[in-house]
Amino acid sequence: MLSPGKPFPLGATPTQQGVNFAIAAPTAVSVELCIFDSTGKSEQQRLQLQSFTDGVWHGHLPSASPGLVYGYRVHGPWSPKEGLRFNPNKLLLDPYAREILGTYDGSDLHLGHVPANPAAQDPRDNASTALKARVAPTQEHPPTPGHARIPSSERILYELHPKGQTRRHPAIPAPLRGTYAGLAEPAALDHLQRLGITTLSLMPVQHRADEQRLLHMGLSNYWGYTTIGWFAPESRYWSGRPGTSPASEFRAMADAIHARGMELVIDVVYNHSAETDELGPTLSMRGIDNALYYHLRPDDRALYENWTGTGNCLNLGEPRVLQLVMDSLRFWACEMGVDGFRFDLAPVLARDAQRGFDPRAPFFAAIAQDPVLSRTLLIAEPWDIGPGGYRLGDFPPGWLEWNDRYRDTQRGFWLRQAHDDKADIGDFAHRFTASSTQFAHRGRAPTASVNFVTAHDGFTLGDLVSYNERHNLANGEDNRDGHGHNMSNNCGVEGPSDDPAVRALRHRLQRALLATLLLSQGTPMLLAGDELGHTQQGNNNAYCQDNETAWLAWVGASEPDSDAAQLSAFVARLTALRREAPALRSNRWWPADASQTQDRAAPGIRWLRPDGEPMAPADWHAGTALAILFTEAAATTTGHHNGKNDGKNDGKNDGNDSNSAGAWLVMVNAGPQTVSFRLPAGAWRSCLASDPALDAAEGAQPLGNDPVQVPFSSLRIART
């Protein structure tokens, strides 16, 4: 019944005569294609793939068409100590599945081994409840591939969850809340545009299988970092509307985002799979060709390398595994309209078992030469837990990297001045101007630094100023999970407070951190809900909280006098100010510091003490206040950087804004008392103050020649 077909492309590909099936399993002895009814419950037919070409089993089924439900049974030796885990009793999901039927239920029926004896092959058949693929139709008119759309100096990232963003949004139609369609609704996108967001960074949207442990507790991996289907949009975020599919609804969401002039980035997990460690389920690649797809321990091939902390690591050193990743990325860019990717635990993708992380790994070379992927936005989470796994600044030119040192420095500067882990003025200035020590090499731009204060992993901004300790009991791990050292400040009360003084201090600190983030050079990233004061009640690891703990509440967001509305409006003012000030978002490193020159009008960046005098070397390690003077005429000049601030340069400049003259002054005071700042010569006027009372009273008024007061734990911006 099967004709030979072709060994390419991998996966199930509709043709004019039927469907071609191809699966890479070079070590397998034989492969059976299993056909199911439309519900996936009843196995109707098993067909042997007779053709085997270059490690690929393939065949063409003339009678097949889109909508067909299928899976594979792969035969071969069972010898875990040799890395071989073939078990034809387990139905396996095609790694190239475009649509996935069913949900992994955590049953031990899906284990390839006997539950009580990991060395023995399990004889039970799991076909009735196993994940299955559905043949997807071929697009008649493929859309224009996604690509980076926003100039790098103008980009503002916003990390959000595809469900949590709208699940409780009152202006979204109830059937669409928490779905791709809900995120495409005008009410959702209007809010992001008002904030000044340019780029949506969605947490994982590829099909996932939740951990057995969570399922047994009635929880799920809400964040989604347990991928099992790299080509299939997660169906749990699909509205189920007639005439749509998860893929079509996702693509419509991408189109709606593009229609607003915004970019779409998705978080992708190619470092590990949902099959976890040697005791985990056999759902797909483990049973297809375990030793091909995974890094196995050289001392015991029954075990997996665990540089991810999740039990296994995909081996992109194998050409077929690298092909899987590249094919998946091209699918999301070319067919789903994705403009960029944030790579979870990215060093794993460039690891070699012997040499460790390699900045010239095949993965980087493959992307660099690809005519589509090389034009997308590429963002690395630049660490894993393996040896030498912290790689901040080590990714190739063209890549952006999450900068956790920026996060820790800003927390230490604004929240920890009374503690041993405080950050000094020099640290603050170094991170404020794009961390040149890490990024000013190999032609990389300041925008390579993705600056953030909060992200999905850790406290929200509201919780950062409300909790000193994590409160993660709901995760079922006895409060052991999540970061133990958060560099937070509860402002005197752990958790919610009705004390006006406590609430005012928390509001002040949030505004100071937001202002710092959005005025810093580099690429800023906001965490969804921080503009609303979202709280997770102190849970700093809400990965399994698919409930109101993690869903944005939107309480008071539409009421002008509410805290949420006022904080959102403040963020919108900051992003508008960033757009108005080329010097604050420039994309080239500043020339040498001009603080010591006599010509105060000369273009450049100058670091000043509150008394108006240039910062001296000793000043970088004392005090909590400084002024940063930017002169925009410097946009026509490029020059040299000088690493960490020590009284010399650490900034950047954007040569695209040479027609904007003027100067900007950022006055920073992280201390407990008001500080007087002497203004440089010029006709200065106030732009913004993070101190709420001063900001509301002042407006854009001229500042005159008298010293300017900057209240405690706040900053103030002026311009000529």
Side-chain angles (χ1 to χ4, degrees):
M1 191 172 183
L2 281 172
S3 62
K6 298 179 179 180
F8 55 85
L10 294 174
T13 306
T15 69
Q16 291 184 344
Q17 295 79 31
V19 176
N20 191 78
F21 294 89
I23 181 171
T27 313
V29 173
S30 64
V31 176
E32 292 177 298
L33 172 66
C34 304
I35 308 301
F36 288 78
D37 67 358
S38 61
T39 68
K41 300 296 184 184
S42 174
E43 186 174 359
Q44 298 181 326
Q45 197 174 17
R46 295 189 191 183
L47 303 169
Q48 188 99 8
L49 295 179
Q50 300 288 349
S51 300
F52 183 60
T53 305
D54 298 329
V56 176
W57 298 86
H58 53 96
H60 186 270
L61 185 59
S63 59
S65 61
L68 182 75
V69 178
Y70 72 99
Y72 290 109
R73 296 181 186 272
V74 181
H75 298 255
W78 171 267
S79 180
K81 65 182 180 180
E82 298 178 84
L84 304 174
R85 294 178 176 271
F86 296 103
N87 186 344
N89 300 306
K90 307 302 174 181
L91 190 82
L92 303 175
L93 179 68
D94 185 352
Y96 278 74
R98 301 291 183 92
E99 294 184 19
I100 295 177
L101 190 66
T103 302
Y104 170 61
D105 61 7
S107 166
D108 66 10
L109 184 63
H110 302 294
L111 298 178
H113 60 271
V114 174
N117 183 7
Q121 185 186 65
D122 187 72
R124 297 174 295 169
D125 193 289
N126 73 334
S128 63
T129 58
L131 296 173
K132 302 169 186 73
R134 180 185 283 120
V135 178
T138 301
Q139 294 192 43
E140 295 183 6
H141 304 287
T144 302
H147 56 88
R149 301 164 186 268
I150 306 296
S152 59
S153 64
E154 299 175 14
R155 183 173 287 118
I156 298 176
L157 293 163
Y158 183 91
E159 190 192 24
L160 70 158
H161 191 281
K163 178 178 182 178
Q165 185 73 11
T166 65
R167 183 62 181 81
R168 302 176 68 190
H169 199 305
I172 304 293
L176 304 184
R177 293 175 189 167
T179 70
Y180 302 126
L183 193 54
E185 281 287 299
L189 298 180
D190 287 348
H191 173 74
L192 299 178
Q193 283 203 302
R194 283 194 297 268
L195 290 178
I197 301 303
T198 69
T199 307
L200 280 65
S201 184
L202 263 65
M203 292 177 67
V205 294
Q206 296 166 317
H207 195 96
R208 75 178 197 258
D210 299 319
E211 297 97 315
Q212 183 183 56
R213 176 186 64 83
L214 293 177
L215 292 170
H216 289 172
M217 291 192 297
L219 300 172
S220 66
N221 193 309
Y222 170 69
W223 284 354
Y225 291 96
T226 50
T227 304
I228 197 63
W230 284 269
F231 295 77
E234 173 55 62
S235 59
R236 281 176 267 202
Y237 307 143
W238 172 45
S239 69
R241 292 174 299 170
T244 69
S245 67
S248 70
E249 190 167 290
F250 182 96
R251 179 68 217 205
M253 176 195 70
D255 291 342
I257 291 168
H258 294 155
R260 299 294 187 106
M262 295 189 288
E263 295 174 317
L264 175 61
V265 170
I266 63 170
D267 200 331
V268 288
V269 184
Y270 297 113
N271 58 80
H272 72 279
S273 84
E275 292 182 303
T276 69
D277 61 13
E278 64 278 1
L279 301 179
T282 295
L283 304 176
S284 182
M285 295 183 296
R286 172 172 284 145
I288 293 171
D289 202 326
N290 183 62
L292 172 74
Y293 285 101
Y294 293 110
H295 281 286
L296 305 180
R297 291 244 312 258
D299 58 326
D300 186 349
R301 291 176 64 79
L303 305 179
Y304 296 82
E305 296 286 10
N306 189 21
W307 305 316
T308 63
T310 60
N312 65 53
C313 301
L314 295 184
N315 184 3
L316 273 69
E318 287 286 349
R320 287 296 184 189
V321 184
L322 179 60
Q323 179 187 1
L324 170 70
V325 173
M326 296 298 293
D327 288 348
S328 171
L329 290 170
R330 287 182 61 86
F331 166 77
W332 287 95
C334 294
E335 298 190 33
M336 303 303 285
V338 169
D339 302 307
F341 305 92
R342 182 266 189 188
F343 293 87
D344 180 62
L345 301 179
V348 173
L349 310 180
R351 270 191 179 274
D352 178 273
Q354 285 73 44
R355 298 190 300 271
F357 176 83
D358 181 1
R360 298 186 178 183
F363 170 66
F364 293 135
I367 285 185
Q369 62 77 44
D370 190 282
V372 172
L373 298 178
S374 60
R375 296 179 60 220
T376 62
L377 184 60
L378 305 169
I379 305 173
E381 181 182 37
W383 52 79
D384 63 33
I385 67 168
Y390 188 78
R391 312 303 307 192
L392 181 69
D394 290 342
F395 281 72
W399 281 71
L400 282 65
E401 302 178 40
W402 275 27
N403 188 347
D404 62 324
R405 293 187 180 177
Y406 178 94
R407 174 199 65 197
D408 293 347
T409 294
Q410 302 306 343
R411 291 185 182 190
F413 184 71
W414 289 106
L415 305 179
R416 307 291 293 180
Q417 286 299 330
H419 300 81
D420 292 340
D421 55 356
K422 68 180 180 181
D424 62 27
I425 285 286
D427 295 327
F428 169 87
H430 179 55
R431 301 305 170 191
F432 189 85
T433 46
S435 302
S436 61
T437 299
Q438 280 72 38
F439 296 107
H441 59 86
R442 298 176 64 192
R444 300 187 74 181
T447 47
S449 174
V450 175
N451 301 329
F452 65 101
V453 176
T454 56
H456 69 271
D457 187 5
F459 280 144
T460 67
L461 183 63
D463 287 353
L464 190 67
V465 296
S466 302
Y467 294 90
N468 284 346
E469 307 296 334
R470 61 192 175 195
H471 295 265
N472 298 354
L473 286 173
N475 297 348
E477 300 183 47
D478 297 323
N479 209 41
R480 295 189 303 268
D481 61 304
H483 295 294
H485 182 59
N486 296 282
M487 303 184 74
S488 58
N489 181 352
N490 68 8
C491 299
V493 176
E494 186 75 357
S497 175
D498 293 327
D499 186 323
V502 171
R503 291 172 61 86
L505 179 56
R506 290 174 175 176
H507 194 49
R508 167 187 295 275
L509 291 173
Q510 289 179 75
R511 285 170 61 106
L513 286 163
L514 287 168
T516 301
L517 173 63
L518 289 166
L519 298 176
S520 294
Q521 297 180 324
T523 301
M525 183 181 77
L526 284 165
L527 173 64
D530 278 356
E531 79 279 10
L532 303 171
H534 175 62
T535 177
Q536 293 178 164
Q537 293 80 50
N539 191 323
N540 73 350
N541 191 34
Y543 75 103
C544 57
Q545 299 301 315
D546 188 2
N547 50 48
E548 293 187 358
T549 297
W551 303 338
L552 302 192
W554 298 98
V555 174
S558 60
E559 301 171 9
D561 294 331
S562 68
D563 288 347
Q566 291 182 6
L567 196 57
S568 293
F570 183 66
V571 170
R573 288 178 58 207
L574 286 166
T575 60
L577 181 61
R578 185 179 180 87
R579 290 192 298 272
E580 294 171 11
L584 299 179
R585 54 178 174 82
S586 56
N587 198 24
R588 296 183 184 177
W589 301 102
W590 284 107
D593 180 44
S595 293
Q596 306 298 328
T597 67
Q598 297 299 314
D599 183 5
R600 294 295 182 89
I605 183 173
R606 293 168 180 78
W607 306 93
L608 307 175
R609 299 188 317 215
D611 63 6
E613 294 301 313
M615 293 282 285
D619 296 327
W620 293 107
H621 306 288
T624 55
L626 88 162
I628 311 168
L629 174 64
F630 299 91
T631 50
E632 289 182 334
T636 59
T637 307
T638 60
H640 301 286
H641 71 284
N642 187 52
K644 180 178 176 179
N645 268 315
D646 56 359
K648 299 181 181 179
N649 162 69
D650 184 22
K652 65 182 182 180
N653 172 34
D654 190 342
N656 296 325
D657 296 296
S658 59
N659 60 342
S660 281
W664 298 80
L665 187 67
V666 180
M667 295 166 280
V668 178
N669 176 20
Q673 306 293 331
T674 296
V675 173
S676 294
F677 282 79
R678 180 183 174 188
L679 298 176
W684 294 94
R685 66 183 189 274
S686 178
C687 293
L688 180 142
S690 68
D691 177 271
L694 182 62
D695 193 41
E698 190 171 72
Q701 66 180 18
L703 292 176
N705 298 318
D706 294 332
V708 168
Q709 306 302 304
V710 179
F712 72 98
S713 298
S714 73
L715 50 77
R716 194 170 178 180
I717 300 88
R719 67 180 300 181
T720 58

